Amino acid sequence: MPRAQPGTHAGYRFEADDSSKTVTVAVFQDYKNFGGALMATKFTFRTGNQVQTITYKSVSYEPLADSMFDLPDAVKALLK
């Protein structure tokens, strides 16, 4: 695993709770400073032969409007 910067994590390894005992390795890379907080901007997850990478291009700490969490009208209709 790559070396982590001070105050950051390089990654971790974990095993599934089910009977498969599948092992996943998560690697955190490309730490950037977003308003004083270091955050990994690249996350790579390896499970068996599968690899998934997630990359963040920006981070915002602006508050979100409560309306962003409203259920869509189609879902609200199902709840009636």
Side-chain angles (χ1 to χ4, degrees):
M1 244 184 238
R3 286 185 164 254
Q5 299 173 19
T8 64
H9 298 286
Y12 58 90
R13 177 185 181 271
F14 59 95
E15 189 174 287
D17 290 336
D18 61 18
S19 62
S20 72
K21 301 295 184 188
T22 302
V23 173
T24 298
V25 175
V27 178
F28 311 136
Q29 297 172 292
D30 298 335
Y31 279 82
K32 295 184 180 165
N33 187 326
F34 293 100
L38 280 179
M39 181 177 168
T41 59
K42 182 177 178 183
F43 301 83
T44 302
F45 299 92
R46 292 184 181 95
T47 305
N49 293 330
Q50 297 180 357
V51 177
Q52 181 180 26
T53 299
I54 301 168
T55 304
Y56 290 96
K57 295 187 183 222
S58 66
V59 174
S60 172
Y61 297 104
E62 296 296 318
L64 299 174
D66 289 342
S67 61
M68 289 189 68
F69 300 97
D70 288 346
L71 295 173
D73 290 337
V75 175
K76 288 179 187 176
L78 293 172
L79 296 174
K80 292 182 179 181

